[in-house]
Amino acid sequence: MATTEKATAADAASVSIQDVSRLSGLSEATLRYYEKIGLIAPVPRDESSGHRRYGGPAVETIQALGCLRATGMSVQDMRAYLRHLDGADGDAARMRALFERNAERVEQEIGHLRVRLRYLRLKADLWDARERGDAEAEHRSVEKITHTARELR
Amino acid sequence: MATTEKATAADAASVSIQDVSRLSGLSEATLRYYEKIGLIAPVPRDESSGHRRYGGPAVETIQALGCLRATGMSVQDMRAYLRHLDGADGDAARMRALFERNAERVEQEIGHLRVRLRYLRLKADLWDARERGDAEAEHRSVEKITHTARELR
DNA sequence: GGCTTGACCTCAAGCGCTTCATGTGTCCGA
DNA sequence: TCGGACACATGAAGCGCTTGAGGTCAAGCC
């Protein structure tokens, strides 16, 4: 009876920030931050407690954002993504371009990281040689490091 | 003879922040920042202009830091690196551990980036399918995306 | 001598969060 | 009904830089 009203309200409203955080992979702090900067629309609050209660559609949007942000996409590009979701003319092309651009970015990052990895491994070898007092190995490491350092930029 | 002193001082002092930036790959702003936070020792200044003049040893240190920071090493670890450079007992082991730890970090990052790259490529495919009005390809993309999104975390 | 140009300076704000301090509202068992 | 525990709330500070505003100094040109 009296519970009916409450229950209904509770159903739609029962998605807490913690729930959304788990569903999206975004931290609670990040969710508040995204709301603050207007990437996410203002989330309605529970009357008495003032806690955020997320609606179904909002949750889905945020899950998508969680994926994008996991790819390292910038907040700016996420904004663009949301703008073009509706599907107006030419939006599909813009979206494709957006993702291709980001894919290239990640590809380059991988390339850079490979060089960095090699550098770090060589440095570890160097100190390993020093630890063992192996002057010859040390010398070889130094040479390789010098060479790799150039690629590192 | 009398000139020796002056010339020596001038020689050592003529390395500007721009020079060091080029040699190390660190931006001028970053060099000032590193000095401000005490990662780099205070750099002597030109008397009249107040401009920084880097000494030879400082330049070498900074070049090394440039490599480390290019690997994504944290400022904290760079501090540790500088602390253990002198070569006291046990330092070699600490250094090796430091570099191995960072190598592992980079290796993991590469793994994550690979997943992200796949995700972004699939998203590009999806919008490409939409652009072409190919409902079937769109459907296939959606499936793959759903699957990859899980790995994305 | 005045003017522009560069290279440099400092200080402050911005980025995209994370972490921390501090303060409520809700619910639970004792 | 008192007192915790707990999930939230806000606001400020920190991280590692980057960007921008506003100003100084030295050198070259007319």
Side-chain angles (χ1 to χ4, degrees):
Chain A
M1 357 192 138
T3 54
T4 314
E5 206 181 297
K6 278 211 165 176
T8 310
D11 277 349
S14 68
V15 184
S16 70
I17 194 169
Q18 190 180 109
D19 297 334
V20 178
S21 171
R22 281 180 193 146
L23 288 169
S24 67
L26 297 167
S27 76
E28 299 181 20
T30 300
L31 289 170
R32 293 190 195 102
Y33 173 71
Y34 280 180
E35 192 181 337
K36 185 178 156 195
I37 62 171
L39 179 61
I40 293 175
V43 179
R45 309 303 185 100
D46 178 288
E47 270 295 300
S48 56
S49 69
H51 293 186
R52 287 170 178 81
R53 296 301 170 205
Y54 294 81
V59 174
E60 279 173 48
T61 304
I62 293 169
Q63 281 183 300
L65 289 183
C67 290
L68 299 189
R69 118 82 206 245
T71 69
M73 184 177 286
S74 72
V75 167
Q76 205 183 23
D77 274 355
M78 290 199 269
R79 276 192 217 274
Y81 170 81
L82 294 177
R83 254 202 315 281
H84 299 303
L85 257 187
D86 41 32
D89 250 24
D91 277 357
R94 267 191 280 275
M95 285 297 223
R96 188 175 46 82
L98 189 154
F99 284 111
E100 274 171 5
R101 183 158 42 75
N102 277 274
E104 271 166 45
R105 194 203 72 228
V106 172
E107 208 165 11
Q108 283 196 356
E109 273 179 51
I110 291 176
H112 290 151
L113 284 183
R114 276 202 243 274
V115 180
R116 292 169 193 182
L117 181 58
R118 189 159 67 242
Y119 182 85
L120 289 167
R121 286 215 193 294
L122 290 171
K123 277 286 200 180
D125 288 351
L126 170 63
W127 288 96
D128 184 57
R130 286 196 178 147
E131 199 179 352
R132 292 185 340 254
D134 183 343
E136 203 162 314
E138 184 179 334
H139 185 71
R140 281 195 302 273
S141 290
V142 169
E143 288 220 341
K144 288 189 203 161
I145 287 170
T146 308
H147 185 258
T148 303
R150 270 192 278 278
E151 282 182 79
L152 211 50
R153 262 206 126 247
Chain B
M1 322 289 132
T3 53
T4 312
E5 210 180 298
K6 275 215 166 175
T8 309
D11 278 348
S14 68
V15 184
S16 71
I17 194 169
Q18 190 180 111
D19 296 334
V20 177
S21 170
R22 282 180 193 146
L23 287 168
S24 67
L26 297 167
S27 75
E28 300 179 20
T30 300
L31 289 170
R32 294 191 195 102
Y33 173 71
Y34 281 180
E35 191 181 338
K36 184 178 157 196
I37 63 171
L39 179 61
I40 295 175
V43 178
R45 308 304 184 97
D46 178 288
E47 270 294 302
S48 56
S49 68
H51 294 185
R52 287 171 177 79
R53 297 301 169 206
Y54 294 80
V59 173
E60 279 173 48
T61 304
I62 293 169
Q63 280 184 299
L65 290 183
C67 290
L68 298 188
R69 120 80 206 247
T71 68
M73 185 177 285
S74 72
V75 167
Q76 205 182 25
D77 273 355
M78 289 199 269
R79 277 193 216 274
Y81 171 82
L82 294 177
R83 255 202 313 283
H84 299 304
L85 256 189
D86 40 32
D89 248 25
D91 276 357
R94 266 191 281 273
M95 286 295 222
R96 187 174 46 82
L98 189 155
F99 284 110
E100 274 171 6
R101 184 158 41 76
N102 276 274
E104 271 167 44
R105 195 204 70 229
V106 171
E107 208 165 11
Q108 283 196 357
E109 272 179 53
I110 291 176
H112 289 151
L113 284 184
R114 274 203 246 276
V115 180
R116 291 169 194 181
L117 180 58
R118 190 159 67 243
Y119 183 84
L120 289 167
R121 286 217 193 293
L122 288 172
K123 277 286 199 180
D125 287 351
L126 169 64
W127 287 97
D128 184 57
R130 286 196 178 148
E131 199 180 352
R132 294 185 340 254
D134 183 343
E136 204 163 311
E138 184 179 334
H139 185 71
R140 281 195 302 272
S141 290
V142 169
E143 288 219 340
K144 288 187 203 160
I145 288 170
T146 308
H147 185 260
T148 303
R150 272 193 277 278
E151 281 183 80
L152 211 51
R153 262 210 128 239

